[in-house]
Coordinates of all heavy atoms in Angstrom, one line a residue:
M793 N 3.5 17.8 42.0 CA 4.6 18.7 42.0 C 4.2 20.1 42.2 O 3.2 20.6 41.8 CB 5.3 18.5 40.6 CG 6.6 19.1 40.5 SD 7.8 18.0 41.1 CE 9.3 18.9 40.8
G794 N 5.0 20.8 43.0 CA 4.7 22.1 43.3 C 5.3 23.1 42.3 O 6.2 22.9 41.5
D795 N 4.8 24.4 42.4 CA 5.2 25.5 41.5 C 6.2 26.4 42.4 O 5.8 27.0 43.3 CB 4.0 26.3 41.1 CG 4.3 27.4 40.1 OD1 5.2 28.3 40.5 OD2 3.7 27.5 39.1
V796 N 7.4 26.4 41.9 CA 8.5 27.2 42.7 C 8.1 28.6 42.8 O 8.3 29.2 43.9 CB 9.9 26.9 42.0 CG1 10.9 27.8 42.7 CG2 10.3 25.5 42.1
K797 N 7.7 29.2 41.7 CA 7.3 30.7 41.7 C 6.2 31.0 42.7 O 6.2 32.0 43.4 CB 7.0 31.2 40.3 CG 8.2 31.3 39.5 CD 7.9 31.9 38.1 CE 9.2 32.0 37.3 NZ 9.0 32.6 36.0
K798 N 5.1 30.1 42.7 CA 4.0 30.3 43.6 C 4.5 30.1 45.1 O 4.2 30.8 46.0 CB 2.9 29.4 43.3 CG 2.1 29.8 42.1 CD 1.0 28.8 41.8 CE 0.3 29.2 40.5 NZ -0.8 28.2 40.2
G799 N 5.4 29.1 45.2 CA 6.0 28.8 46.5 C 6.8 30.0 47.0 O 6.8 30.3 48.3
M800 N 7.5 30.7 46.2 CA 8.3 31.9 46.6 C 7.4 33.0 47.1 O 7.7 33.6 48.1 CB 9.1 32.4 45.4 CG 10.0 33.6 45.8 SD 11.1 34.2 44.5 CE 9.9 34.7 43.2
K801 N 6.2 33.2 46.4 CA 5.3 34.2 46.9 C 4.8 33.8 48.3 O 4.6 34.6 49.2 CB 4.1 34.3 45.9 CG 4.5 35.0 44.6 CD 3.4 35.1 43.7 CE 3.8 35.7 42.3 NZ 2.7 35.7 41.3
I802 N 4.5 32.5 48.5 CA 3.9 32.1 49.8 C 5.1 32.2 50.9 O 4.8 32.8 52.0 CB 3.6 30.5 49.7 CG1 2.3 30.4 48.8 CG2 3.3 30.0 51.1 CD1 2.0 28.9 48.4
F803 N 6.3 31.9 50.5 CA 7.4 32.1 51.5 C 7.5 33.6 51.9 O 7.7 33.9 53.0 CB 8.7 31.6 50.8 CG 9.8 31.7 51.9 CD1 10.1 30.7 52.8 CD2 10.7 32.8 51.9 CE1 11.1 30.8 53.7 CE2 11.7 32.9 52.8 CZ 12.0 31.9 53.7
K804 N 7.4 34.4 50.9 CA 7.6 35.9 51.1 C 6.5 36.5 52.1 O 6.7 37.3 52.9 CB 7.7 36.7 49.8 CG 9.0 36.5 49.1 CD 9.1 37.4 47.9 CE 10.5 37.3 47.2 NZ 10.6 38.0 46.0
T805 N 5.3 35.9 51.9 CA 4.2 36.5 52.6 C 4.0 35.7 54.0 O 3.5 36.3 54.9 CB 2.8 36.4 51.8 OG1 2.6 35.0 51.5 CG2 2.9 37.2 50.6
K806 N 4.3 34.4 54.1 CA 4.0 33.6 55.3 C 5.3 33.4 56.1 O 5.2 33.0 57.3 CB 3.3 32.4 54.9 CG 2.1 32.5 54.1 CD 0.9 32.7 55.0 CE -0.4 32.6 54.1 NZ -1.5 33.0 54.9
C807 N 6.5 33.3 55.5 CA 7.6 32.7 56.2 C 8.8 33.7 56.4 O 9.6 33.6 57.3 CB 8.1 31.5 55.4 SG 6.9 30.4 54.9
A808 N 9.0 34.6 55.4 CA 10.2 35.4 55.3 C 10.4 36.4 56.5 O 11.5 36.8 56.8 CB 10.3 36.3 54.0
Q809 N 9.3 36.7 57.2 CA 9.4 37.5 58.4 C 10.3 36.9 59.5 O 11.0 37.5 60.2 CB 8.0 37.8 59.0 CG 8.1 38.7 60.2 CD 6.7 39.0 60.8 OE1 5.7 38.9 60.1 NE2 6.7 39.5 62.0
C810 N 10.2 35.5 59.6 CA 11.0 34.8 60.6 C 12.1 33.9 60.0 O 12.9 33.5 60.8 CB 10.0 33.9 61.3 SG 8.7 34.8 62.2
H811 N 12.1 33.6 58.7 CA 13.1 32.7 58.2 C 13.8 33.3 56.9 O 13.2 34.1 56.2 CB 12.5 31.4 57.8 CG 11.9 30.6 58.8 ND1 12.6 29.8 59.7 CD2 10.6 30.4 59.2 CE1 11.8 29.2 60.6 NE2 10.6 29.6 60.3
S812 N 15.0 32.9 56.7 CA 15.7 33.2 55.5 C 16.2 31.9 54.8 O 16.3 30.9 55.5 CB 17.0 34.0 55.8 OG 17.7 34.3 54.6
V813 N 16.4 31.9 53.5 CA 16.9 30.7 52.8 C 18.3 30.9 52.3 O 18.9 29.9 51.8 CB 15.9 30.3 51.7 CG1 14.6 29.8 52.2 CG2 15.8 31.4 50.7
D814 N 18.8 32.1 52.4 CA 20.2 32.4 51.9 C 21.2 32.0 52.8 O 21.1 32.4 54.0 CB 20.2 33.9 51.5 CG 21.5 34.3 50.8 OD1 22.5 33.6 51.0 OD2 21.4 35.3 50.1
A815 N 22.2 31.3 52.4 CA 23.3 30.8 53.3 C 24.0 31.9 54.0 O 24.5 31.8 55.1 CB 24.2 29.9 52.5
A816 N 24.1 33.1 53.3 CA 24.8 34.2 53.9 C 24.1 34.9 55.0 O 24.7 35.7 55.7 CB 25.2 35.2 52.8
D817 N 22.8 34.7 55.0 CA 22.0 35.4 56.1 C 22.0 34.7 57.4 O 22.3 33.5 57.4 CB 20.5 35.5 55.7 CG 20.3 36.4 54.4 OD1 21.1 37.2 54.1 OD2 19.2 36.2 53.8
G818 N 21.8 35.4 58.5 CA 21.8 34.8 59.8 C 20.5 34.3 60.2 O 19.6 34.3 59.3
H819 N 20.3 34.0 61.4 CA 19.0 33.6 61.9 C 18.1 34.8 62.1 O 18.7 35.9 62.4 CB 19.1 32.7 63.2 CG 19.9 31.5 63.0 ND1 19.6 30.5 62.2 CD2 21.1 31.1 63.6 CE1 20.5 29.5 62.2 NE2 21.4 29.9 63.1
K820 N 16.8 34.6 62.0 CA 15.9 35.7 62.4 C 15.2 35.2 63.7 O 15.8 34.5 64.5 CB 14.9 35.9 61.3 CG 15.6 36.5 60.0 CD 14.5 36.8 59.0 CE 15.0 37.4 57.8 NZ 14.0 37.7 56.8
Q821 N 13.9 35.4 63.7 CA 13.1 34.8 64.9 C 13.1 33.3 64.8 O 13.1 32.6 65.8 CB 11.7 35.4 64.9 CG 10.9 34.8 66.0 CD 9.5 35.4 66.1 OE1 9.2 36.4 65.5 NE2 8.6 34.8 66.8
G822 N 13.2 32.8 63.6 CA 13.3 31.4 63.3 C 14.7 31.1 62.7 O 15.4 32.0 62.3
P823 N 15.0 29.9 62.6 CA 16.4 29.5 62.1 C 16.4 29.8 60.5 O 15.4 29.8 59.8 CB 16.5 28.0 62.3 CG 15.1 27.6 62.4 CD 14.3 28.7 63.0
N824 N 17.7 30.0 60.0 CA 17.9 30.1 58.7 C 17.6 28.7 58.1 O 18.0 27.7 58.7 CB 19.4 30.5 58.4 CG 19.7 30.7 57.0 OD1 19.6 29.7 56.2 ND2 20.2 31.8 56.6
L825 N 17.0 28.6 56.9 CA 16.6 27.3 56.4 C 17.5 26.8 55.3 O 17.3 25.7 54.7 CB 15.2 27.5 55.7 CG 14.1 27.9 56.8 CD1 12.7 28.0 56.1 CD2 14.0 26.9 57.9
H826 N 18.6 27.5 55.0 CA 19.6 26.9 54.1 C 20.1 25.5 54.5 O 20.4 25.3 55.7 CB 20.8 27.9 53.9 CG 21.7 27.5 52.8 ND1 21.5 27.7 51.5 CD2 22.9 26.8 52.9 CE1 22.4 27.1 50.7 NE2 23.3 26.6 51.5
G827 N 20.1 24.6 53.6 CA 20.5 23.2 53.9 C 19.4 22.4 54.6 O 19.7 21.4 55.2
L828 N 18.1 22.9 54.5 CA 17.1 22.3 55.2 C 16.9 20.7 54.9 O 16.8 19.9 55.9 CB 15.8 23.0 54.9 CG 14.5 22.4 55.5 CD1 14.5 22.6 57.1 CD2 13.3 23.2 55.0
F829 N 16.9 20.4 53.6 CA 16.5 19.0 53.2 C 17.6 18.0 53.7 O 18.8 18.2 53.4 CB 16.2 18.9 51.8 CG 14.9 19.4 51.4 CD1 14.6 20.8 51.3 CD2 13.8 18.6 51.1 CE1 13.4 21.3 51.0 CE2 12.6 19.0 50.8 CZ 12.4 20.4 50.8
G830 N 17.2 17.0 54.4 CA 18.2 16.0 54.9 C 18.7 16.3 56.3 O 19.4 15.5 56.8
R831 N 18.3 17.5 56.8 CA 18.8 17.9 58.1 C 17.8 17.4 59.2 O 16.6 17.4 59.0 CB 19.0 19.4 58.2 CG 19.6 19.9 59.5 CD 20.0 21.3 59.4 NE 18.9 22.2 59.3 CZ 18.9 23.4 58.6 NH1 20.0 23.8 58.0 NH2 17.9 24.1 58.5
M832 N 18.3 17.1 60.4 CA 17.5 16.7 61.5 C 16.9 18.0 62.1 O 17.6 19.0 62.2 CB 18.3 15.9 62.5 CG 18.8 14.6 62.0 SD 17.5 13.4 61.4 CE 16.6 13.1 62.9
A833 N 15.7 18.0 62.5 CA 15.1 19.1 63.2 C 15.8 19.5 64.4 O 16.4 18.6 65.2 CB 13.6 18.8 63.6
G834 N 16.0 20.8 64.7 CA 16.6 21.2 65.9 C 18.1 21.2 65.9 O 18.8 21.2 66.9
T835 N 18.8 21.2 64.7 CA 20.2 20.9 64.7 C 21.0 22.1 64.0 O 22.2 22.0 63.8 CB 20.6 19.6 64.0 OG1 20.1 19.6 62.7 CG2 20.0 18.5 64.8
T836 N 20.3 23.2 63.5 CA 21.0 24.2 62.8 C 21.9 25.0 63.8 O 21.5 25.4 64.8 CB 20.0 25.3 62.3 OG1 19.1 24.6 61.4 CG2 20.8 26.3 61.5
P837 N 23.3 25.0 63.5 CA 24.2 25.6 64.5 C 23.8 27.1 64.7 O 23.5 27.8 63.8 CB 25.5 25.5 63.7 CG 25.4 24.4 62.8 CD 23.9 24.4 62.4
G838 N 23.9 27.5 66.0 CA 23.7 28.9 66.3 C 22.3 29.3 66.5 O 22.0 30.5 66.8
Y839 N 21.4 28.4 66.4 CA 19.9 28.8 66.7 C 19.5 28.1 68.0 O 19.8 26.9 68.2 CB 19.0 28.4 65.6 CG 17.6 28.9 65.8 CD1 17.3 30.2 65.6 CD2 16.6 28.0 66.2 CE1 16.0 30.6 65.9 CE2 15.4 28.4 66.5 CZ 15.0 29.8 66.3 OH 13.8 30.2 66.6
S840 N 18.8 28.8 68.8 CA 18.3 28.2 70.1 C 16.9 27.6 69.9 O 15.9 28.3 69.9 CB 18.2 29.3 71.1 OG 17.7 28.9 72.3
Y841 N 16.8 26.3 69.7 CA 15.6 25.6 69.4 C 14.9 25.2 70.8 O 15.6 25.0 71.8 CB 15.9 24.3 68.7 CG 16.2 24.4 67.2 CD1 17.5 24.5 66.8 CD2 15.2 24.5 66.3 CE1 17.8 24.7 65.5 CE2 15.5 24.7 65.0 CZ 16.8 24.7 64.5 OH 17.1 24.9 63.2
S842 N 13.6 24.9 70.7 CA 12.9 24.4 71.9 C 13.4 22.9 72.0 O 13.8 22.3 71.1 CB 11.4 24.4 71.6 OG 11.1 23.5 70.5
S843 N 13.3 22.4 73.3 CA 13.7 21.1 73.5 C 12.7 20.1 72.7 O 13.2 19.0 72.3 CB 13.6 20.7 75.0 OG 12.4 20.9 75.5
A844 N 11.5 20.5 72.5 CA 10.6 19.7 71.7 C 11.1 19.5 70.3 O 11.0 18.4 69.8 CB 9.2 20.3 71.7
N845 N 11.6 20.5 69.7 CA 12.1 20.5 68.4 C 13.4 19.6 68.3 O 13.5 18.7 67.4 CB 12.4 21.9 67.9 CG 12.4 22.0 66.4 OD1 13.2 21.4 65.7 ND2 11.5 22.8 65.8
K846 N 14.3 19.8 69.3 CA 15.5 19.1 69.3 C 15.3 17.6 69.5 O 16.0 16.8 69.0 CB 16.5 19.6 70.4 CG 17.0 21.0 70.0 CD 18.1 21.4 71.0 CE 17.5 22.1 72.2 NZ 18.5 22.7 73.1
K847 N 14.2 17.2 70.3 CA 13.9 15.8 70.6 C 13.0 15.2 69.6 O 12.6 14.0 69.8 CB 13.4 15.7 72.0 CG 14.4 16.2 73.1 CD 13.7 16.1 74.4 CE 14.7 16.6 75.5 NZ 14.1 16.7 76.8
S848 N 12.5 15.9 68.6 CA 11.5 15.4 67.7 C 11.9 14.2 66.8 O 11.1 13.4 66.5 CB 11.0 16.5 66.8 OG 12.0 16.9 65.9
G849 N 13.2 14.1 66.5 CA 13.7 13.1 65.6 C 13.3 13.1 64.2 O 13.5 12.2 63.5
I850 N 12.8 14.3 63.8 CA 12.3 14.5 62.4 C 13.5 14.9 61.5 O 14.3 15.7 61.8 CB 11.3 15.6 62.4 CG1 10.0 15.3 63.2 CG2 10.9 16.0 61.0 CD1 9.1 16.4 63.5
E851 N 13.5 14.2 60.4 CA 14.4 14.6 59.3 C 13.6 15.3 58.3 O 12.6 14.8 57.8 CB 15.1 13.3 58.6 CG 16.1 13.7 57.6 CD 16.7 12.6 56.8 OE1 16.9 11.5 57.5 OE2 17.1 12.7 55.7
W852 N 14.1 16.5 57.9 CA 13.4 17.4 57.0 C 13.5 16.8 55.5 O 14.6 16.7 55.0 CB 13.8 18.8 57.1 CG 13.4 19.4 58.4 CD1 14.3 19.9 59.3 CD2 12.2 19.5 59.1 NE1 13.7 20.4 60.4 CE2 12.4 20.1 60.3 CE3 10.9 19.1 58.6 CZ2 11.3 20.3 61.1 CZ3 9.8 19.3 59.5 CH2 10.0 19.9 60.8
N853 N 12.4 16.5 54.9 CA 12.3 16.1 53.6 C 10.9 16.4 53.0 O 10.1 17.1 53.8 CB 12.5 14.6 53.4 CG 11.6 13.7 54.3 OD1 10.4 14.0 54.4 ND2 12.2 12.8 55.0
K854 N 10.6 16.1 51.8 CA 9.3 16.5 51.3 C 8.1 16.0 52.1 O 7.2 16.8 52.4 CB 9.2 16.0 49.8 CG 7.8 16.4 49.1 CD 7.8 15.9 47.7 CE 6.5 16.2 47.1 NZ 6.3 15.6 45.8
K855 N 8.1 14.7 52.5 CA 7.1 14.1 53.2 C 6.9 14.8 54.6 O 5.8 15.1 55.0 CB 7.3 12.7 53.4 CG 6.2 11.9 54.1 CD 6.5 10.4 54.1 CE 5.3 9.7 54.8 NZ 5.6 8.2 54.9
S856 N 8.0 15.0 55.3 CA 7.8 15.5 56.7 C 7.5 17.0 56.7 O 6.7 17.4 57.4 CB 9.2 15.4 57.4 OG 10.3 16.0 56.9
L857 N 8.0 17.7 55.7 CA 7.5 19.1 55.5 C 6.1 19.3 55.2 O 5.3 20.2 55.7 CB 8.4 19.9 54.5 CG 9.8 20.2 55.0 CD1 10.7 20.6 53.9 CD2 9.7 21.4 56.1
M858 N 5.6 18.4 54.3 CA 4.2 18.5 53.9 C 3.3 18.2 55.1 O 2.3 18.9 55.2 CB 3.9 17.4 52.8 CG 4.4 17.7 51.4 SD 3.6 19.2 50.7 CE 2.0 18.5 50.4
K859 N 3.7 17.3 56.0 CA 2.9 17.1 57.2 C 3.0 18.2 58.2 O 2.1 18.7 58.8 CB 3.4 15.8 57.8 CG 2.5 15.4 59.0 CD 3.0 14.1 59.6 CE 2.2 13.7 60.9 NZ 2.7 12.5 61.5
Y860 N 4.3 18.6 58.4 CA 4.6 19.8 59.4 C 3.8 21.0 59.0 O 3.3 21.7 59.9 CB 6.1 19.9 59.4 CG 6.5 21.0 60.4 CD1 6.6 20.7 61.7 CD2 7.0 22.2 59.9 CE1 7.0 21.7 62.7 CE2 7.5 23.2 60.8 CZ 7.4 22.9 62.2 OH 7.9 23.8 63.1
L861 N 3.8 21.4 57.8 CA 3.3 22.6 57.4 C 1.7 22.7 57.5 O 1.1 23.8 57.4 CB 3.7 23.0 55.9 CG 5.2 23.3 55.8 CD1 5.6 23.4 54.3 CD2 5.5 24.7 56.5
I862 N 1.1 21.6 57.7 CA -0.4 21.6 58.0 C -0.6 22.3 59.3 O -1.5 23.2 59.5 CB -1.0 20.2 58.0 CG1 -0.9 19.5 56.6 CG2 -2.4 20.2 58.5 CD1 -1.2 18.0 56.7
N863 N 0.2 21.9 60.3 CA 0.0 22.4 61.7 C 1.2 22.1 62.5 O 1.3 21.0 63.2 CB -1.2 21.7 62.3 CG -1.6 22.4 63.7 OD1 -0.7 23.0 64.3 ND2 -2.8 22.2 64.1
P864 N 2.2 23.0 62.5 CA 3.5 22.7 63.2 C 3.3 22.4 64.6 O 4.0 21.5 65.1 CB 4.3 24.1 63.0 CG 3.7 24.6 61.8 CD 2.3 24.3 61.7
K865 N 2.5 23.0 65.3 CA 2.3 22.8 66.8 C 1.7 21.4 67.1 O 1.9 20.8 68.2 CB 1.5 23.9 67.5 CG 2.2 25.2 67.6 CD 1.5 26.1 68.4 CE 2.3 27.4 68.5 NZ 3.6 27.3 69.3
K866 N 0.9 20.9 66.1 CA 0.4 19.5 66.3 C 1.5 18.5 66.1 O 1.6 17.5 66.8 CB -0.8 19.3 65.4 CG -1.5 17.9 65.5 CD -2.7 17.8 64.6 CE -3.4 16.5 64.8 NZ -4.5 16.4 63.9
M867 N 2.3 18.7 65.1 CA 3.4 17.7 64.8 C 4.5 17.8 65.8 O 5.1 16.7 66.2 CB 3.9 17.9 63.4 CG 4.9 16.9 63.0 SD 5.2 17.0 61.2 CE 6.6 16.0 60.9
I868 N 4.8 19.0 66.3 CA 5.9 19.1 67.4 C 5.3 19.9 68.5 O 5.5 21.2 68.6 CB 7.2 19.8 66.8 CG1 7.7 19.0 65.6 CG2 8.2 19.8 67.9 CD1 9.0 19.7 65.0
P869 N 4.5 19.3 69.4 CA 4.0 20.0 70.6 C 5.1 20.6 71.3 O 6.1 20.0 71.6 CB 3.3 18.9 71.3 CG 3.0 17.8 70.4 CD 4.1 17.9 69.4
G870 N 5.0 21.9 71.6 CA 6.1 22.6 72.4 C 7.0 23.4 71.5 O 7.9 24.0 72.0
T871 N 6.8 23.3 70.2 CA 7.7 24.1 69.3 C 7.5 25.6 69.5 O 6.4 26.1 70.0 CB 7.4 23.8 67.8 OG1 8.4 24.5 67.0 CG2 6.1 24.2 67.4
K872 N 8.6 26.4 69.3 CA 8.5 27.8 69.4 C 7.8 28.5 68.2 O 7.5 29.7 68.2 CB 9.9 28.5 69.6 CG 10.5 28.1 70.9 CD 11.8 28.9 71.2 CE 12.9 28.8 70.2 NZ 14.1 29.5 70.6
M873 N 7.7 27.7 67.2 CA 7.2 28.3 65.9 C 5.8 28.8 66.0 O 4.9 28.0 66.3 CB 7.4 27.3 64.7 CG 7.0 27.9 63.4 SD 7.7 26.9 62.1 CE 6.6 27.1 60.8
V874 N 5.6 30.0 65.8 CA 4.2 30.6 65.9 C 3.7 30.7 64.4 O 4.0 31.7 63.7 CB 4.3 32.0 66.5 CG1 2.9 32.6 66.6 CG2 4.9 31.9 67.8
F875 N 3.0 29.7 63.9 CA 2.5 29.6 62.6 C 1.4 28.7 62.6 O 1.5 27.5 63.0 CB 3.6 29.1 61.6 CG 3.2 29.0 60.2 CD1 2.8 30.2 59.5 CD2 3.3 27.9 59.5 CE1 2.4 30.1 58.2 CE2 2.9 27.7 58.2 CZ 2.5 28.9 57.5
A876 N 0.2 29.1 62.1 CA -1.0 28.3 62.1 C -0.9 27.2 61.1 O -1.7 26.2 61.3 CB -2.2 29.2 61.8
G877 N -0.1 27.3 60.1 CA 0.0 26.3 59.1 C -0.7 26.6 57.7 O -1.3 27.7 57.6
L878 N -0.5 25.8 56.8 CA -1.1 26.0 55.4 C -2.1 24.9 55.2 O -1.7 23.7 55.1 CB 0.0 26.0 54.4 CG 1.0 27.1 54.3 CD1 2.1 26.8 53.3 CD2 0.4 28.4 54.0
K879 N -3.3 25.2 55.2 CA -4.4 24.2 55.1 C -4.5 23.6 53.7 O -4.9 22.4 53.5 CB -5.7 24.7 55.5 CG -5.7 25.3 56.9 CD -5.1 24.3 57.9 CE -5.1 24.9 59.3 NZ -4.0 24.4 60.1
K880 N -4.2 24.4 52.6 CA -4.3 24.0 51.2 C -3.1 23.2 50.8 O -2.0 23.6 50.9 CB -4.5 25.2 50.3 CG -5.8 25.9 50.5 CD -5.9 27.1 49.6 CE -7.1 27.9 49.8 NZ -7.2 29.1 49.0
K881 N -3.4 21.9 50.4 CA -2.3 21.0 50.0 C -1.5 21.6 48.9 O -0.3 21.5 48.9 CB -2.9 19.7 49.6 CG -1.8 18.6 49.3 CD -2.5 17.2 49.0 CE -1.4 16.2 48.9 NZ -2.1 14.8 48.8
Q882 N -2.1 22.3 47.9 CA -1.3 22.8 46.8 C -0.4 24.0 47.3 O 0.7 24.1 46.8 CB -2.2 23.4 45.7 CG -1.5 23.7 44.5 CD -0.7 22.6 43.8 OE1 -1.2 21.5 43.6 NE2 0.6 22.8 43.5
D883 N -0.8 24.7 48.2 CA 0.1 25.8 48.9 C 1.2 25.1 49.5 O 2.4 25.5 49.4 CB -0.7 26.6 49.9 CG -1.7 27.6 49.3 OD1 -1.6 27.8 48.0 OD2 -2.4 28.2 50.0
R884 N 1.0 24.0 50.2 CA 2.1 23.3 50.8 C 3.1 22.7 49.8 O 4.3 22.8 49.9 CB 1.6 22.2 51.8 CG 0.9 22.7 53.0 CD 0.6 21.7 54.0 NE 0.0 20.5 53.6 CZ -1.3 20.3 53.4 NH1 -2.2 21.3 53.6 NH2 -1.8 19.1 53.0
K885 N 2.5 22.1 48.7 CA 3.4 21.6 47.6 C 4.2 22.7 47.0 O 5.4 22.5 46.7 CB 2.5 20.9 46.6 CG 1.9 19.6 46.9 CD 1.1 19.1 45.7 CE 0.6 17.7 46.0 NZ -0.1 17.2 44.8
D886 N 3.6 23.8 46.8 CA 4.3 25.0 46.1 C 5.4 25.5 47.1 O 6.6 25.7 46.6 CB 3.4 26.1 45.8 CG 2.4 25.8 44.7 OD1 2.6 24.8 44.0 OD2 1.4 26.5 44.6
L887 N 5.1 25.6 48.4 CA 6.2 26.1 49.3 C 7.3 25.1 49.4 O 8.5 25.5 49.4 CB 5.5 26.3 50.7 CG 6.5 26.8 51.8 CD1 7.2 28.1 51.3 CD2 5.7 27.0 53.1
V888 N 7.0 23.8 49.5 CA 8.1 22.8 49.6 C 8.9 22.8 48.3 O 10.1 22.6 48.4 CB 7.4 21.4 49.9 CG1 8.5 20.3 49.8 CG2 6.8 21.3 51.3
A889 N 8.3 22.9 47.2 CA 9.0 23.0 45.9 C 10.0 24.2 46.0 O 11.2 24.1 45.6 CB 8.1 23.2 44.7
Y890 N 9.5 25.3 46.5 CA 10.4 26.5 46.6 C 11.5 26.2 47.6 O 12.7 26.6 47.3 CB 9.6 27.8 47.0 CG 10.5 28.9 47.4 CD1 11.2 29.6 46.4 CD2 10.7 29.3 48.7 CE1 12.0 30.6 46.7 CE2 11.5 30.3 49.0 CZ 12.2 31.0 48.1 OH 13.0 32.0 48.4
L891 N 11.2 25.7 48.7 CA 12.2 25.4 49.8 C 13.3 24.4 49.2 O 14.5 24.6 49.4 CB 11.6 24.9 51.0 CG 10.8 25.9 51.8 CD1 10.0 25.2 52.9 CD2 11.6 27.0 52.3
K892 N 12.9 23.4 48.5 CA 13.8 22.4 47.9 C 14.7 23.2 46.9 O 15.9 22.9 46.9 CB 13.0 21.3 47.2 CG 13.8 20.3 46.5 CD 14.3 19.2 47.5 CE 15.0 18.1 46.7 NZ 15.8 17.4 47.6
D893 N 14.2 24.0 46.2 CA 14.9 24.7 45.2 C 15.9 25.9 45.8 O 17.0 26.0 45.4 CB 14.0 25.5 44.2 CG 14.7 26.2 43.0 OD1 15.4 25.5 42.2 OD2 14.7 27.4 43.0
S894 N 15.4 26.5 46.8 CA 16.1 27.7 47.3 C 17.1 27.4 48.5 O 17.9 28.2 48.9 CB 15.2 28.8 47.7 OG 14.3 28.4 48.8
T895 N 16.9 26.3 49.1 CA 17.8 26.0 50.3 C 18.9 25.0 50.0 O 19.7 24.7 50.9 CB 16.9 25.4 51.5 OG1 16.4 24.1 51.1 CG2 15.8 26.3 51.8
A896 N 19.0 24.6 48.8 CA 20.1 23.6 48.4 C 21.5 24.2 48.4 O 21.5 25.4 48.1 CB 19.8 22.9 47.1

């Protein structure tokens, strides 16, 4: 189980430049992540995804995010996301816990 508070710190330092979790916010360089869990990759209205992302067939959940956050470009070759990934499993667990809590 991840730590939501530690995940929030990771989000602020690694993700918030390109993403928001607040439903009232718009898209940034990356899509708004509100409602992330259970959503199919590449389907957020109003965001221009890469064709690779739209065709990935990935449903966002704890398992898929844990894998994706290791190396996004490896899981979805051709994605526009410019992020090297989180190598530490606990960091990924903490970030996923925060995303689960903050995007619902």
Side-chain angles (χ1 to χ4, degrees):
M793 190 87 180
D795 182 306
V796 173
K797 286 186 180 182
K798 287 180 181 176
M800 181 174 66
K801 288 179 185 176
I802 293 167
F803 185 86
K804 286 182 178 181
T805 59
K806 305 274 187 187
C807 315
Q809 179 179 343
C810 297
H811 296 282
S812 176
V813 294
D814 188 334
D817 292 343
H819 300 302
K820 294 183 177 183
Q821 182 176 343
N824 183 301
L825 299 178
H826 185 78
L828 177 66
F829 282 77
R831 185 168 66 212
M832 297 302 291
T835 62
T836 305
Y839 185 77
S840 177
Y841 287 95
S842 66
S843 61
N845 202 297
K846 289 189 270 189
K847 295 176 183 176
S848 69
I850 296 168
E851 181 180 332
W852 296 121
N853 55 46
K854 181 180 175 182
K855 184 178 178 180
S856 61
L857 284 166
M858 285 294 291
K859 183 178 178 185
Y860 181 73
L861 290 169
I862 295 170
N863 185 341
K865 289 190 178 291
K866 184 175 181 183
M867 188 165 165
I868 304 178
T871 185
K872 294 191 298 186
M873 185 156 151
V874 181
F875 179 63
L878 294 171
K879 304 308 175 211
K880 295 180 182 175
K881 188 173 186 176
Q882 190 59 50
D883 286 351
R884 293 191 310 275
K885 284 182 175 183
D886 293 344
L887 180 57
V888 170
Y890 170 72
L891 290 172
K892 179 80 173 162
D893 183 67
S894 65
T895 64

